[in-house]
Amino acid sequence: EPEVTQTPSHQVTQMGQEVILRCVPISNHLYFYWYRQILGQKVEFLVSFYNNEISEKSEIFDDQFSVERPDGSNFTLKIRSTKLEDSAMYFCASRGAGTNSNQPQHFGDGTRLSIL
Amino acid sequence: AQSVTQPDIHITVSEGASLELRCNYSYGATPYLFWYVQSPGQGLQLLLKYFSGDTLVQGIKGFEAEFKRSQSSFNLRKPSVHWSDAAEYFCAVGAQDKLTFGGGTRVLVKP
């Protein structure tokens, strides 16, 4: 069964540095997402992306964050000038075509980001 | 604003016993509802989904869930749990392409 792939599985970065989290969505999917889960807290929506632009973002997703689909297969989340509170598990998800949410989102295994 | 509540943080169940995980949601229209499972060190795997139609939905691994509009609930059930069902379970509501998750319920299975 096709799956969403995320790399790396664990990223350790010094505070203030930039980090790029990478995702390869399922190949025929058109909608892409990032979520995060701070340890002990809920999974939170960050951003959705469709047709090469952001379709919705949460208040968490400020100017520190950006997303990009640099080619036909990758979907990246960049965090500039990382802070301690950015430490979390970051999940990428994708879904196929369909109105609103009537196609389920499929999630990757996540990247655990640790900011030191 | 949409929200999801999973009242039980932990549930311990004996292997072979039945399991029910509670989920209550708040949403202004007909919700799209999901249950995901997360095993240790792994991502979120979709168990089942409700979009419309039959309010009792069947999922993978022998799970089912029932949508009750009058109670704003979407509880997950399994008649007989296996040791491999030990994991964390998340209920989610989706709208406008954004999923809102509950806090999760961690299920422990006793031999």
Side-chain angles (χ1 to χ4, degrees), chain A residues 46-87:
Chain A
L46 291 178
V47 66
S48 59
F49 190 87
Y50 170 70
N51 199 25
N52 281 320
E53 61 183 29
I54 291 173
S55 45
E56 187 173 356
K57 60 183 181 180
S58 72
E59 59 188 24
I60 302 168
F61 194 89
D62 58 20
D63 293 343
Q64 184 193 6
F65 295 87
S66 62
V67 289
E68 190 178 29
R69 187 155 164 82
D71 53 42
S73 60
N74 290 283
F75 179 53
T76 61
L77 174 68
K78 181 189 291 186
I79 310 175
R80 287 180 285 275
S81 189
T82 49
K83 305 188 284 271
L84 294 176
E85 52 265 38
D86 295 327
S87 295

Side-chain angles (χ1 to χ4, degrees), chain B residues 43-92:
Chain B
L44 298 163
Q45 181 183 23
L46 179 69
L47 283 177
L48 46 78
K49 60 188 183 290
Y50 171 78
F51 294 134
S52 64
D54 193 348
T55 56
L56 184 64
V57 293
Q58 303 296 321
I60 63 171
K61 304 185 179 188
F63 284 92
E64 66 178 26
E66 187 172 12
F67 170 58
K68 293 185 177 180
R69 184 187 300 275
S70 61
Q71 298 177 19
S72 298
S73 69
F74 188 56
N75 293 349
L76 181 72
R77 299 193 293 256
K78 185 169 183 176
S80 176
V81 298
H82 186 261
W83 64 265
S84 60
D85 294 323
E88 188 153 20
Y89 293 79
F90 293 93
C91 181

Side-chain angles (χ1 to χ4, degrees), chain A residues 31 33 35 37 41-45 48 50 55-56 89 91 95 99-110, chain B residues 3-5 32 34 36 38 41-46 49 51 88 90 94-104:
Chain A
Y31 300 83
Y33 310 84
Y35 293 79
Q37 184 182 28
Q41 298 186 23
K42 293 185 178 185
V43 177
E44 304 171 287
F45 169 80
S48 59
Y50 170 70
S55 45
E56 187 173 356
M89 180 73 90
F91 292 107
R95 73 172 178 91
T99 57
N100 280 346
S101 301
N102 65 357
Q103 290 290 326
Q105 295 179 26
H106 296 265
F107 285 78
D109 284 347
Chain B
S3 66
V4 178
T5 301
Y32 299 122
F34 307 83
Y36 286 86
Q38 184 180 30
Q42 298 195 2
L44 298 163
Q45 181 183 23
L46 179 69
K49 60 188 183 290
F51 294 134
E88 188 153 20
F90 293 93
Q96 297 300 319
D97 233 18
K98 176 180 89 171
L99 291 181
T100 297
F101 285 84

Side-chain angles (χ1 to χ4, degrees), chain B residues 2 12 19 24 29 31 38-39 41 67 78 80 92-93 95 104:
Chain B
Q2 60 205 50
T12 300
L19 174 68
N24 293 98
Q38 184 180 30
S39 298
F67 170 58
K78 185 169 183 176
S80 176
V93 61

